[in-house]
């Protein structure tokens, strides 16, 4: 009975959200004080400082460094054989896109050069007297406004249209040539 009365009294007492009463070692900090700066190592080595290599290892490294490139390439297979290391099995990358593989192991397949289907039309130069005609032609096939087409033409040499078929590119080049401009297909 006494316990329930005591518990009711405790429940009715207003409690602060955070209490430091049970933390006697907490010291009030000056709010204007600068934060403490700790010395952090430039790089982290989880194994601690390592002892310097022995003289035997230094001599071995010097001898390996003085070998030719062909002799250095023979070191790993010889060590693997002598130390009886297991042979590494190739990892299957089936279904993974690894991008172009220049040094890929296995048979090399001859790649056929795909014929280019998309071309860019580049305006190299134009006649100063025919500038207005060239701007009109550029507006016709690029759907640009007058100011944008004028700025584009004045930047020559500049790419006017990208990713067009060969026939369309030849048509654009002919029209620009007739207007007084020099265009090329890239």
């Amino acid at each position: 009975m006494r316990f329930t009365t005591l518990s009711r009294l405790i429940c009715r007492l207003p409690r602060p959200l955070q209490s430091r009463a049970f933390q006697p070692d907490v010291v009030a900090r000056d709010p204007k004080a600068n934060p403490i700066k700790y010395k952090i190592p430039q790089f982290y080595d989880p194994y601690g400082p390592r002892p310097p290599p022995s003289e035997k290892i230094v001599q071995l490294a010097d001898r390996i460094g003085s070998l030719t490139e062909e002799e250095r390439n023979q070191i790993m297979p010889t060590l693997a054989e002598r130390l009886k290391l297991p042979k590494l099995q190739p990892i299957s990358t089936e279904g993974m896109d690894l991008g172009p593989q220049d040094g890929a192991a296995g048979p090399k397949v001859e790649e056929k050069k795909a014929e280019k289907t998309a071309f860019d039309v580049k305006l190299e130069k134009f006649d100063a007297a025919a500038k207005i005609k060239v701007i009109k032609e550029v507006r016709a096939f690029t759907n640009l406004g007058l100011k944008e087409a004028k700025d584009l033409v004045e930047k020559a040499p500049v790419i006017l249209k990208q990713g067009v078929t060969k026939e369309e590119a030849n048509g654009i080049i002919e029209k620009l040539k007739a207007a007084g401009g020099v265009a090329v297909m890239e």
Side-chain angles (χ1 to χ4, degrees):
M1 190 151 165
R2 289 183 184 177
F3 180 72
T4 55
T5 311
L6 183 62
S7 65
R8 285 183 192 158
L9 284 173
I10 292 174
C11 289
R12 290 184 188 155
L13 290 175
R15 283 185 259 159
L17 294 175
Q18 187 177 19
S19 174
R20 293 183 182 240
F22 299 111
Q23 300 173 1
D25 59 338
V26 173
V27 178
R29 201 172 153 264
D30 183 18
K32 294 181 182 177
N34 289 332
I36 300 171
K37 293 186 180 180
Y38 296 99
K39 291 183 181 178
I40 300 172
Q42 203 161 13
F43 59 91
Y44 175 69
D45 187 3
Y47 303 108
R50 295 181 186 167
S54 67
E55 186 60 33
K56 191 175 184 181
I57 299 297
V58 170
Q59 289 173 358
L60 183 62
D62 290 339
R63 288 182 62 194
I64 290 173
S66 65
L67 295 176
T68 64
E69 186 73 28
E70 187 176 311
E71 291 171 332
R72 273 188 257 155
N73 289 337
Q74 295 174 359
I75 290 175
M76 276 312 292
T78 307
L79 279 176
E81 181 182 318
R82 183 147 312 161
L83 298 175
K84 298 177 183 170
L85 297 176
K87 290 185 179 179
L88 299 175
Q89 298 296 322
I91 298 172
S92 173
T93 56
E94 190 174 324
M96 288 193 276
D97 183 18
L98 301 176
Q101 299 291 318
D102 293 339
K108 295 195 176 189
V109 180
E110 277 189 38
E111 295 180 15
K112 295 179 182 178
K113 287 194 174 182
E115 190 174 315
K116 194 172 180 182
T117 56
F119 297 92
D120 299 339
V121 178
K122 184 176 183 179
L123 177 66
E124 291 290 324
K125 57 185 176 178
F126 60 91
D127 244 357
K131 182 177 177 180
I132 295 172
K133 292 179 186 176
V134 173
I135 292 172
K136 285 182 181 178
E137 285 301 322
V138 169
R139 282 188 67 198
F141 63 82
T142 59
N143 298 327
L144 292 175
L146 182 62
K147 184 178 184 331
E148 290 86 9
K150 179 181 176 275
D151 292 342
L152 189 65
V153 169
E154 288 174 347
K155 289 181 189 174
V158 67
I159 294 177
L160 297 175
K161 195 145 185 175
Q162 294 179 332
V164 295
T165 62
K166 190 171 187 175
E167 294 81 25
E168 190 179 348
N170 284 330
I172 292 170
I173 291 171
E174 290 299 318
K175 288 178 184 177
L176 286 172
K177 189 174 182 182
V182 178
V184 293
M185 186 174 15
E186 292 183 342

